[in-house]
Amino acid sequence: MSVAAGKPRGVLFRWAEILPLTEKTPRLTLGEGDTPLVRSVALEGLCGLDELWLKLESCNPTGSFKDRGMVVAVAKAVESGAKAIMCASTGNTSASAAAYAARCGIDCFVLVPGGKVAAGKMAQAVAFGSRILEVEGNFDQALNAARELTAKHPVALVNSVNPNRIAGQKTAAFEICEALGDAPGLLAIPVGNAGNITAYWQGFCECAERGLANAHPRMMGFQAAGAAPIVLGEKVERPQTVASAIRIGNPASWKGATSARDESGGLIAAVTDEEILEAYRLLARREGLFVEPASAAGVAGLLKLGREGRLRGGRAVAVLTGNGLKDPDTAAAQHTPDITRAEATVEGVERALGW
Ligand code: AN7
């Protein structure tokens, strides 16, 4: 494993004091964390907010928030002598695990639901050289198998049931408090396996304890309507949604999500695929932010609450969890391309444009 040149960047360097590191933990990095927090003037009015800030977790090295927790989980696995890691995944966890395993020179086994992972994420798992097992079942079944396999074989489990993942992911809450000088009033976030909402809540609580924030945000989690077990209060056997990243019917951190909701006075609600895709298109067309569909669920939720008159000003942060390049098929289906053929000359292009 090589080290980064110049001033070291990355979650293990920036946030060492709030992570479970020892002298023996390898200081692994692909330059994760420290992602932009940009204001969305176009969307804050539509939501009925005074300020809406977007945390661009899509800017992490493998294109999703998973890198924050994965760098900690993989570093700790290597520290403990593991030669291989395993995860079940709807795509982003596997892309991230595969990247950090490649960087450490260890093996990575990924269990993905057959035919349900977006093309870009599969391309990443392939490129990073992971061993890919397409299971005949959904994410929830794949995670059950991964838990049992890693209990039986000398392979480290790097799903978010691994507390090192949560520890790494909580660093995003610290970055937000640092950037805004306080916690926001609301945090909007997509919920799938519910590790991220659990990690953010832990992070915001620690920020308040350490005096980095004066208050806690209300945690607003959004599930896709066809995969909304926490909203329904029961497992969903056959989850369905265009937002394949959050096509999860039995979240591992269910309890973490309901605690975040209840302790913060927040909510966990459902947004339909149409609402998710509306937010997906708005983020691209109005803000120049190309995210994957699941990432738009938080903004979809704020837009919905805004329309219902349930947001009265205040400052919110929405977490944009993954890059739009991950799911080119949904992009092609959602955006009608405006493409005109032209000859490769000035006159040819002018003619095509009608100039
Ligand atoms: C873009 O990769 O579960 O509630 O296996 O990829 O912490 O699960 C991905 C989840 C939101 C939900 N946005 O976060 C996986 C996986 C994107 C995601 C979520 C995921 P959690």
Side-chain angles (χ1 to χ4, degrees), residues 59-76:
C59 292
N60 277 299
T62 75
S64 87
F65 73 96
K66 303 284 181 182
D67 295 338
R68 276 181 199 280
M70 196 59 71
V71 71
V72 182
V74 174
K76 293 301 283 183

Side-chain angles (χ1 to χ4, degrees), residues 53-120:
W53 295 84
L54 304 171
K55 181 70 169 157
L56 307 189
E57 289 293 281
S58 45
C59 292
N60 277 299
T62 75
S64 87
F65 73 96
K66 303 284 181 182
D67 295 338
R68 276 181 199 280
M70 196 59 71
V71 71
V72 182
V74 174
K76 293 301 283 183
V78 170
E79 179 182 354
S80 71
K83 297 282 181 280
I85 58 172
M86 177 180 276
C87 64
S89 182
T90 58
N92 279 326
T93 298
S94 52
S96 187
Y100 287 95
R103 184 134 175 103
C104 295
I106 61 173
D107 291 331
C108 179
F109 299 92
V110 307
L111 271 57
V112 294
K116 295 292 182 192
V117 174

Side-chain angles (χ1 to χ4, degrees), residues 65-66 89-93 191-196 245-246 248 292 321:
F65 73 96
K66 303 284 181 182
S89 182
T90 58
N92 279 326
T93 298
V191 175
N193 211 25
N196 213 24
I246 52 172
I248 294 175
E292 63 170 291
T321 46

